[in-house]
Amino acid sequence: MTASNTQFMNTQVLISPLPEGVAPKKSHFRTVAITESKPELEEGSIFVKNAVFSLDPYILHDFSKGNKESSVTGFGIGKIIDSKNPAFPIGSTFFGPIRWESYSHLTKDQGLSESVNLDAGLDKNIPLSVYNGVLGLSGFTVWDSLKRRGDLKKGETIYISSAAGTLGQLAGQLAKRQGLRVIGSAGSDEKVAYLKSELGFDAAFNYKTQDRRQALTELAPQGLDIYYDLVFDDTVEIVLDLLNPHGRIISIGALAMHQGQEPVAPKNLIHILMKQLRYEGYMVYEYYDQWEAFWKEMTPLVKNGEIKFAETVIEGELDVIAETYDRFLQGGYKGKVSVKIADV
Ligand SMILES: NC(=O)c1ccc[n+]([C@@H]2O[C@H](COP(=O)([O-])OP(=O)(O)OC[C@H]3O[C@@H](n4cnc5c(N)ncnc54)[C@H](OP(=O)(O)O)[C@@H]3O)[C@@H](O)[C@H]2O)c1
């Protein structure tokens, strides 16, 4: 699109209403092509050509006005093609919440405080999709949360749930680099093998086919020191029993709730008192001043292969996103999943 073109075709993915807590399926999505006019930008807003969508366990939609369908918002990367926001000049590379559509007009109230101008860290020799994963918000979350909340000490044992996912695979490798014994769980034998043979986890188990308490007791005979919780399910009750004195639970994600599971309250919280445990949450958005430090440390490690990662990039038109998302939610991919519809 050029500045003189005022009309353009915007392909958009719509979602039909879902019962509360139910994960979407392919049949909930529909792709439409709409002719739109190029927006007149108000102060603080931007206009983005979307390129690489990040598939994440949560998506946003809005049925508040009783609409039969809603647009879908997730994270992704695009090129700024018009801007009235000095943090995101024209031509810069944008990462943030974007609707699943070819072009997005984003006002300053639409998640721009959760957005990043990637140009400060972009390495042209690294595929853009990697900035949806290990060098993006996921990687930054792991790098920063382990530093702030982990208090990692050589010789300690850390357990990571959803360890073959985007955050989990990096958490294990960073903990290993600091001399910890690393245990992970994942939902298939193939993922379990990947954790041990490719990522260097000391031990891993399949949480779908093995008893979690028995597996953790056997794999951590010295007890656990840290639980990096990406799931927020009843695993925490098992972990509270197995944590050593002064152990930590870092609460990062709620994958089970994204899948429609009810939140659970552990009955053995008394361990927090008796074993002097720390149980802390972490939200990445408070720490955005650390992006450049993150890229400075992690980019060389990713480039030279010291940090490994799995990713799947599905290329095509926007209509591939529904099927890809359905399979992603069922654990059908390892690591970060992106859908690429354009180059930037
Ligand atoms: N606190 C923050 O600032 C922050 C920032 C970024 C992300 N997060 C959160 O971190 C969590 C992980 O994000 P991610 O991008 O790394 O996700 P992810 O692991 O890539 O998510 C997909 C994987 O989750 C696993 N999974 C799904 N449901 C599960 C369940 N009930 N129990 C165990 N595993 C399940 C599946 O793998 P299996 O085959 O192994 O089941 C699936 O492949 C998410 O909840 C996300 O919202 C938090």
Side-chain angles (χ1 to χ4, degrees):
M1 187 183 353
T2 63
S4 58
N5 288 343
T6 53
Q7 297 257 298
F8 66 97
M9 189 64 82
N10 202 6
T11 304
Q12 193 173 65
V13 177
L14 301 175
I15 185 168
S16 50
L18 297 171
E20 187 72 29
V22 167
K25 297 263 173 266
K26 183 184 169 193
S27 56
H28 288 110
F29 297 103
R30 186 169 76 94
T31 307
V32 293
I34 310 161
T35 304
E36 291 185 358
S37 298
K38 188 167 172 286
E40 286 296 326
L41 297 190
E42 60 278 33
E43 279 312 311
S45 67
I46 58 174
F47 190 46
V48 187
K49 178 177 192 269
N50 298 327
V52 190
F53 296 90
S54 164
L55 298 200
D56 295 291
Y58 45 85
I59 47 174
L60 300 176
H61 33 72
D62 180 10
F63 294 108
S64 60
K65 299 183 192 99
N67 300 337
K68 290 205 175 73
E69 288 179 306
S70 160
S71 59
V72 180
T73 300
F75 280 98
I77 299 172
K79 187 64 98 189
I80 311 267
I81 53 175
D82 200 2
S83 173
K84 281 208 174 160
N85 187 321
F88 299 102
I90 293 175
S92 55
T93 315
F94 173 86
F95 172 86
I98 48 176
R99 287 181 293 278
W100 287 2
E101 61 188 355
S102 333
Y103 296 90
S104 289
H105 170 206
L106 301 171
T107 65
K108 63 177 189 300
D109 303 325
Q110 287 173 315
L112 290 189
S113 59
E114 297 168 13
S115 305
V116 187
N117 182 342
L118 287 180
D119 287 350
L122 218 50
D123 184 316
K124 299 284 178 217
N125 296 315
I126 297 176
L128 205 53
S129 55
V130 176
Y131 291 86
N132 271 339
V134 71
L135 287 178
L137 190 71
S138 308
F140 177 53
T141 300
V142 174
W143 175 85
D144 192 58
S145 63
L146 283 177
K147 277 180 200 278
R148 277 179 208 279
R149 303 281 191 269
D151 192 16
L152 307 186
K153 295 183 200 73
K154 195 173 173 190
E156 288 187 328
T157 300
I158 186 170
Y159 164 51
I160 299 159
S161 47
S162 192
T166 315
L167 273 69
Q169 49 179 325
L170 180 61
Q173 292 178 85
L174 290 182
K176 193 75 202 144
R177 289 172 70 82
Q178 295 198 41
L180 280 81
R181 176 173 162 75
V182 178
I183 301 173
S185 57
S188 73
D189 292 344
E190 191 212 340
K191 289 182 184 180
V192 167
Y194 166 75
L195 293 174
K196 291 194 282 190
S197 61
E198 302 282 326
L199 299 188
F201 278 54
D202 296 286
F205 65 96
N206 183 335
Y207 74 93
K208 288 185 178 163
T209 58
Q210 289 177 258
D211 180 80
R212 288 163 297 164
R213 181 179 293 273
Q214 191 182 345
L216 283 169
T217 308
E218 282 171 15
L219 297 175
Q222 314 292 336
L224 299 172
D225 298 293
I226 303 166
Y227 175 35
Y228 195 77
D229 185 6
L230 294 167
V231 175
F232 205 82
D233 67 357
D234 57 359
T235 309
V236 79
E237 193 162 301
I238 301 169
V239 166
L240 280 163
D241 285 340
L242 300 180
L243 275 171
N244 293 323
H246 299 283
R248 284 83 74 201
I249 298 173
I250 314 173
S251 183
I252 296 285
L255 285 164
M257 286 171 68
H258 303 316
Q259 293 279 2
Q261 287 179 32
E262 287 290 316
V264 289
K267 295 186 190 72
N268 52 354
L269 284 173
I270 188 67
H271 285 309
I272 293 177
L273 169 63
M274 302 310 284
K275 294 196 269 190
Q276 302 185 71
L277 307 175
R278 235 169 47 215
Y279 190 163
E280 276 186 281
Y282 171 90
M283 274 294 173
V284 69
Y285 307 112
E286 274 194 25
Y287 309 107
Y288 267 31
D289 57 339
Q290 294 302 306
W291 272 102
E292 290 192 32
F294 160 70
W295 280 319
K296 197 169 164 205
E297 190 178 319
M298 292 296 295
T299 305
L301 298 177
V302 169
K303 263 178 109 168
N304 69 20
E306 277 185 66
I307 291 291
K308 299 187 174 65
F309 61 92
E311 68 161 359
T312 305
V313 183
I314 308 289
E315 296 196 34
E317 305 289 326
L318 259 171
D319 49 12
V320 302
I321 210 166
E323 189 169 349
T324 311
Y325 194 66
D326 194 334
R327 187 169 163 200
F328 160 75
L329 283 183
Q330 293 172 45
Y333 302 99
K334 272 192 312 225
K336 180 78 240 166
V337 185
S338 294
V339 169
K340 181 177 177 188
I341 59 162
D343 290 308
V344 295

